[in-house]
Amino acid sequence: MEKIDIKSLNYDQIIEEMTKIGEKPFRAKQVYEWLHVKLVDSFDEMSNLSKALREKLEANYKIIRTKEVAKRVSKDGSTSKFLFELYDNRVIESVLMKYKHGNSVCISSQVGCRMGCRFCASTLGGLERCLTASEMLDQIYQIQKISGERVSNVVVMGTGEPLDNYDNLVQFVRMLTDEHGLNISQRNITVSTCGLCERIKQLADEELQITLAISLHAPNDEKRRELMPVANKYSISEIMDACKYYYSKTSRRITFEYSLVKGVNDGQEQAMELVQLVKGLNCHINLIPVNPIKERDYVQSDNSYIQNFKNILEKKRINVTIRREMGSDIDAACGQLRKSYIDNK
Ligand code: SAH
């Protein structure tokens, strides 16, 4: 019989498992704490459990862990990028960003991605597989252990489309914010999606207080289809409806991500169109100067265009920020370090 991935089980599920193997339910609290607070990687380390119980656990369950295989730190020390190897030798990347207000980790939700966004390095090799809840959690756990830093914010903006791995994503969010575990505030978690509308509505119904970020990247469907194949499936107006629904259920302000590509979506006209699109919506726009990847000839917008785009939005009193480029000296954009690691191998 295949061993169960115990780190993917939530608190209630562990209680059930303990009962199944003839243990008292209170053992669940101890086991959960070892896995999700003390962050151990083996049953042997669970020193307040009897040897007999540890052996029983070992026989029935496995502890998934992600293994650090490479790390790069930006020159200013603010950003560290980690490559982790999974049990099946596949690699994923995660990023630690240190800010004055706390530490933020960007995690991957899949190995590869099947969404095909033209400017994104994560999608070049297609989707290999989804990550389990334990593999998403462990990126954060290992980073805490390696860096000795406490993580206060988590963004699911690494490789993969989180809503294409829906059940594991929701399990991950609930476990990360569980009071028995790391207990990170839901408000400090952001999930970024290319806009899978049914899933956005489903997520709205989960009664979570997480921030939803939508990768918009264009103010109209025609332009969006040039950059994102998923735009053939969902129109911007469907996305807007899903966002309104999300807001009505959660009262959480929506973030729109807009990567600026020179001569493609960075003009005054597009900025004005974007204003019309989001007018009246409680939202925030995050402008991302595109990070060029060598497989595509997209170029970053000139600074004057970026500023101009921002000014147009600001004049119409839309919340807008330009994403600080942290760690571009270490291939910190989605999928680039992983890609260069695999290419070199
Ligand atoms: N699949 C999710 C998460 C992916 S990455 C999504 O689509 O939202 C997080 C953000 O980075 C997305 O907005 C994505 O479109 C953007 N992105 C990916 N590659 C980029 C690049 N080379 N330059 C700028 N932004 C990029």
Side-chain angles (χ1 to χ4, degrees), residues 162-202:
L163 300 190
D164 189 34
N165 183 15
Y166 186 86
D167 293 341
N168 290 337
L169 174 87
V170 171
Q171 176 87 342
F172 157 77
V173 170
R174 292 197 191 284
M175 289 173 71
L176 186 61
T177 58
D178 190 323
E179 57 177 358
H180 299 98
L182 276 196
N183 198 11
I184 290 182
S185 162
Q186 289 185 357
R187 291 166 171 262
N188 291 353
I189 299 179
T190 299
V191 171
S192 176
T193 175
C194 63
L196 307 182
C197 293
E198 293 91 356
R199 294 301 192 188
I200 293 172
K201 290 187 200 146
Q202 196 180 347

Side-chain angles (χ1 to χ4, degrees), residues 119-120 157-158 160-161 192-194 215 217 257 259 288 290-291 334:
F119 44 81
C120 179
M157 288 191 184
E161 167 49 48
S192 176
T193 175
C194 63
S215 298
H217 305 322
E257 293 156 280
S259 296
I288 315 169
V290 83
N291 232 309
C334 304

Side-chain angles (χ1 to χ4, degrees), residues 170-307:
V170 171
Q171 176 87 342
F172 157 77
V173 170
R174 292 197 191 284
M175 289 173 71
L176 186 61
T177 58
D178 190 323
E179 57 177 358
H180 299 98
L182 276 196
N183 198 11
I184 290 182
S185 162
Q186 289 185 357
R187 291 166 171 262
N188 291 353
I189 299 179
T190 299
V191 171
S192 176
T193 175
C194 63
L196 307 182
C197 293
E198 293 91 356
R199 294 301 192 188
I200 293 172
K201 290 187 200 146
Q202 196 180 347
L203 189 64
D205 290 333
E206 302 279 353
E207 296 188 2
L208 295 168
Q209 279 293 300
I210 58 178
T211 300
L212 180 68
I214 305 282
S215 298
L216 195 60
H217 305 322
N220 61 59
D221 288 324
E222 198 189 344
K223 185 55 80 183
R224 196 163 188 266
R225 284 195 289 261
E226 270 177 42
L227 294 167
M228 305 172 74
V230 71
N232 292 304
K233 187 145 184 227
Y234 301 100
S235 67
I236 290 181
S237 96
E238 287 171 297
I239 292 178
M240 290 300 154
D241 285 347
C243 288
K244 282 173 196 155
Y245 184 72
Y246 190 86
Y247 185 75
S248 75
K249 290 294 234 179
T250 63
S251 304
R252 298 290 295 155
R253 186 173 83 165
I254 309 277
T255 296
F256 292 106
E257 293 156 280
Y258 194 106
S259 296
L260 289 162
V261 187
K262 184 173 181 165
V264 175
N265 63 359
D266 63 347
Q268 197 164 316
E269 212 177 293
Q270 278 115 9
M272 276 157 16
E273 217 178 329
L274 184 58
V275 169
Q276 290 308 315
L277 188 64
V278 302
K279 221 170 50 184
L281 213 67
N282 190 358
C283 70
H284 168 247
I285 294 185
N286 200 199
L287 299 175
I288 315 169
V290 83
N291 232 309
I293 57 172
K294 67 173 192 299
E295 290 79 4
R296 301 274 186 271
D297 43 16
Y298 290 127
V299 179
Q300 201 171 89
S301 303
D302 296 332
N303 236 326
S304 61
Y305 275 73
I306 297 173
Q307 280 308 328

Side-chain angles (χ1 to χ4, degrees), residues 321-335:
T321 46
I322 299 173
R323 186 184 292 175
R324 256 201 299 160
E325 271 186 278
M326 293 175 83
S328 55
D329 57 321
I330 52 164
D331 288 342
C334 304

